[in-house]
Each structure stands twice: as structure tokens, then as C-alpha cells.
Amino acid sequence: MKKFLKKSTAILVAGVATLGVMSMSTVAHAEGERYVFISHAPDSDSWWNVIKNAVKTAASDMNVTVEYRNPPTGDLADMARIVEQAVATNPDGIVLSIADFDTLEGPLEKATKKGIPFITMNSGTQEQSKAWGALLHVGQPEFAAGFGAGQRAKKQGVKSFLCVNHYITNPASVERCMGFAKGLGVELGSQMIDSGSDPTNVETKVSAYLRKNPNTEAILTLGPTSAHPTLRALEKNRNLKGIYFGTFDLSGEISAAIKDGRISYAIDQQPFLQGYLPISFLTLYTRYGLMPSNDVNSGPGFITKDNIALVEKYAGEFR
């Protein structure tokens, strides 16, 4: 009996050792894939630093190469060219934001014909992602996020508002403003302004709107690009306690404003997930054919004075 057990143990150990060698061989052979991650963000938009950090972290964790590319000025025609260039290099996969469905549809058809898998993230809707033939979408339903913010404002008695849109060429930004109006129960019209992304211009346009519409009860900004100069405009022209201020996304300056009551909340779409998960999913798909069966809603979540302590130390890096 002892002799039989010893022989069986030897066979089992040998089998495990062989399996281990096979597994290591398979993983070593599979590693080193190359992906291209394409965003619509201009170089000036610091909010995307969290996503860049996530992409870098995912590349290291998965042992893959990821090329992050974006149009320096945010020009969508330039983004379309970047997609075409990426497809031409035959990467193992592509990740991109749906900044404009029609503009990017043509370049992505070439990816589909070549059999290059891709995942959409951040901007756009799950329906648009499916229409393109993406594996899945990782992002925040923008209209729903704006709607939730509008409902919060409505509970505070807000009826009039200003939506400061610093990237109006991106349809998702308009959906945020439309959702906010819907949450309040009003129609969206001139309350949405095209502020541009230059800080001085944003501050000037916000100040001009408030002078012309002194009864404005709430302001919604769509990220740090518009939130920071709007804060300065309010400090110079308005009593901060007299206006309800909500914003999308987080930054150190926004965190401080939430803590001292100048901003009521930040709508958090967890950008780290938008950068990390697509690379992880593509790697699992390329190596093992694995892919979640549903899209991933990375937001919205609301950061207020009650929970800011949990996230502020990670602002700009992971949050």
C-alpha cells in the first residue's frame, strides 16, 4: 500500500509539474499584445490624466503594450485620422471614446473588416457602441447622470440654471445638460452656453450670463475645465451661498470646493475604470476568448461633503 501511494504521489507531482510548465509556456507565449487607446481629449484637459494612469497601470499588470493617442486640440476630424492610422498598424485591439458617432463610423468599419476587436469607453451610449460592433462599452450613461443631478437640484427648489458646456462639439456633453433640464422638469434652451475650454473665456462667459440672468439659481459644469474658472467667476461676481453648484468629475480644486460648501456635489464616473477595464478585457479576450456579457456602467456616483474624505486623497490619480 505504501509503495502504491508513493508511486501515485510521484505520478501526481510529475503531472502537476508538467501542467505548470504548460501553463507558464502558454502565458509567456500570449503576453506582449499591442493595443491602441484613442481618446477625444485635447492635451489641455487634465481630467484625462487619471485615465492615462489607468492605461499605464493596466499595461503593466497585463504585460502588454498600449499606445495612448489623442487629437492635441480635441479636433474630431483629427481623431478620425488617428483611428485610421491605428487600424493600419493592425494592433491586437483598439479602445476609443465615441466622441462623434458619424465622424468615427467610417474608420471603425475598416477595423471590423480587418477583424480587429475594439471596446468603446467614456463618451457615447451603449446603443451606439453596439451599432458599431464593439465588444462592449465602459462608461457613464450621460443623460441619466445629468437627469440624476437635475433631480437633486429640483429637491432643493431649483427652477432656473446655467449649464457651462466647455466641449459642445461632443454630443455626450449636450446629453448631460439635457438630462439636467429634464430632471428639473424644464426645457433646455439658452441655459446651455458654449464656453469653450480657455479658462479666461469660460470665466468671462459665465460672468456675462449671470449678469444678464441675475435670477439664475443653479450652475452645472461638465468637468474641471469649466468648473475651475466658474468658481473664479462666482468669487468675483456672485454671493456663493446664493447659488446651487454641481459639477461633473473631480479634481483637487473641486474637492476643496465641496468640502467648504461652494460646490454641492461632483458626479463621479470613475475614470480609472474607463482606462483600466478596457485594456484588461481586451487582453482576456485576445488570450482566452473571455469577455463580460454586459456593458459596464462606471458611473454616475455623487461625491458630496459626506463622502469626500473617502476619495479626495486619490483625486487626479485614481479618482
Side-chain angles (χ1 to χ4, degrees), residues 25-273:
S25 175
T26 301
V27 171
H29 178 71
E31 291 178 352
E33 294 88 352
R34 181 177 65 87
Y35 304 112
V36 182
F37 195 108
I38 307 168
S39 84
H40 61 267
D43 290 342
S44 60
D45 194 338
S46 61
W47 180 82
W48 283 77
N49 289 339
V50 174
I51 289 181
K52 293 176 185 177
N53 182 48
V55 169
K56 182 179 179 180
T57 303
S60 176
D61 288 350
M62 300 293 123
N63 194 20
V64 299
T65 298
V66 183
E67 301 169 13
Y68 178 91
R69 300 198 60 191
N70 67 296
T73 63
D75 181 77
L76 295 181
D78 190 15
M79 181 182 179
R81 286 190 290 271
I82 291 173
V83 175
E84 289 182 343
Q85 293 166 0
V87 171
T89 66
N90 297 311
D92 293 296
I94 293 173
V95 181
L96 79 163
S97 56
I98 310 177
D100 187 284
F101 183 88
D102 295 332
T103 301
L104 301 176
E105 185 174 21
L108 277 179
E109 286 180 357
K110 297 177 182 179
T112 301
K113 290 178 181 178
K114 282 191 169 188
I116 300 173
F118 63 93
I119 289 175
T120 59
M121 50 76 66
N122 188 257
S123 294
T125 66
Q126 295 173 0
E127 290 74 22
Q128 289 175 324
S129 181
K130 286 182 173 61
W132 271 354
L135 294 174
L136 55 72
H137 182 74
V138 181
Q140 173 177 261
E142 303 294 3
F143 184 89
F147 182 77
Q151 287 186 312
R152 280 175 170 256
K154 186 176 182 179
K155 289 180 180 179
Q156 299 300 316
V158 171
K159 297 179 181 178
S160 60
F161 72 101
L162 163 65
C163 187
V164 187
N165 193 332
H166 65 267
Y167 195 24
I168 206 165
T169 56
N170 187 337
S173 68
V174 178
E175 289 184 5
R176 291 177 172 183
C177 298
M178 291 176 63
F180 191 81
K182 183 73 172 180
L184 285 180
V186 302
E187 293 293 325
L188 178 65
S190 60
Q191 310 101 316
M192 181 177 70
I193 62 171
D194 177 8
S195 67
S197 58
D198 179 79
T200 301
N201 289 341
V202 174
E203 182 180 333
T204 299
K205 290 183 178 181
V206 169
S207 296
Y209 183 92
L210 294 177
R211 283 195 299 270
K212 186 176 180 180
N213 301 274
N215 294 323
T216 300
E217 297 172 331
I219 292 179
L220 179 71
T221 56
L222 306 188
T225 299
S226 49
H228 296 171
T230 296
L231 280 170
R232 290 193 291 274
L234 291 176
E235 288 168 359
K236 294 177 181 178
N237 298 285
R238 289 286 298 250
N239 179 357
L240 287 175
K241 294 182 180 179
I243 200 159
Y244 184 88
F245 191 171
T247 186
F248 278 78
D249 304 329
L250 197 63
S251 70
E253 191 170 336
I254 290 173
S255 295
I258 291 174
K259 290 174 68 175
D260 64 24
R262 289 176 294 156
I263 291 181
S264 298
Y265 57 76
I267 304 167
D268 181 27
Q269 58 179 304
Q270 301 187 101
F272 192 89
L273 295 181

